[in-house]
Every structure is written in structure tokens, then in C-alpha cells.
Amino acid sequence: MIADTFSGEVLVYDAADGALIVAVGNDGQFARLCGVLGLTLRQPAVEYLGKISFGLYVFHVAALRIAGSAVAGLALTVLAAALSYRFLESPFLRWKGRLARVESRPI
């Protein structure tokens, strides 16, 4: 049963994660206000992980199953996400300006 496996602890972690995402996603204002957190979030490596975060989400389960160990799985996940960002996501991001909706003049 779900009730037997559910832990209230998970809800607390999810709520904290959500609050952090909302706070950080507010144009970086939260990051500028919080010294150490702000410095950490502005590091190039952390920003890069943010850029490839969709790929990290998509590939992590498959990479962990293929690799067999957590360290190898993490390395494979980052590699797959970086390649995905470079060769799949980046071309579409470059097209974004061309595909933008342009309002026409009123008739």
C-alpha cells in the first residue's frame, strides 16, 4: 500500500526543494542576497550544470542502470547531458529567435 511506503520526510524535502527553486528562479535576486549561496550559484561549473539540467534529469536513470556504480553513473549522466545539450538543445535554442511570434499591424 502507498500509505505504508509514504514518508512525511519526503514531503518536507520536496517542499524545501520547491521553495529553493522559486527563490533562486526569481531573476537571481535571492542568490545575490545570500552570500555563500549566491557565490556558489554563480560559479561557472554550477551554471553549466544548470544549462544541462534537463539532460541530467532525462538521462540519470538509464545511466545509473547501465553504469553499475554511482560514480560511473554520475559521470555517464553528465556526459550524456552535455552531449545532448551541445548537439540537440543548442540548435533549437539558436532557432528560438527565428521562430518567435511577430505581431502584425492591425488591419
Side-chain angles (χ1 to χ4, degrees):
M1 285 187 359
I2 293 174
D4 293 339
T5 59
F6 178 76
S7 170
E9 182 177 304
V10 173
L11 181 61
V12 172
Y13 289 130
D14 288 345
D17 289 344
L20 184 61
I21 289 168
V22 168
V24 171
N26 189 12
D27 296 329
Q29 293 174 3
F30 181 77
R32 284 190 289 277
L33 293 175
C34 297
V36 174
L37 179 61
L39 290 174
T40 303
L41 293 175
R42 285 187 296 240
Q43 296 301 312
V46 177
E47 288 181 355
Y48 184 72
L49 287 176
K51 283 184 180 180
I52 66 169
S53 62
F54 180 72
L56 293 172
Y57 168 73
V58 169
F59 296 115
H60 79 279
V61 172
L64 288 171
R65 289 186 180 182
I66 291 169
S69 74
V71 174
L74 177 62
L76 186 59
T77 301
V78 172
L79 177 66
L83 291 173
S84 171
Y85 181 79
R86 170 70 175 92
F87 295 109
L88 295 174
E89 296 175 48
S90 291
F92 284 100
L93 291 173
R94 283 193 299 271
W95 292 348
K96 185 169 57 173
R98 293 184 202 159
L99 301 175
R101 182 177 165 193
V102 177
E103 294 292 330
S104 63
R105 294 181 292 154
I107 299 176

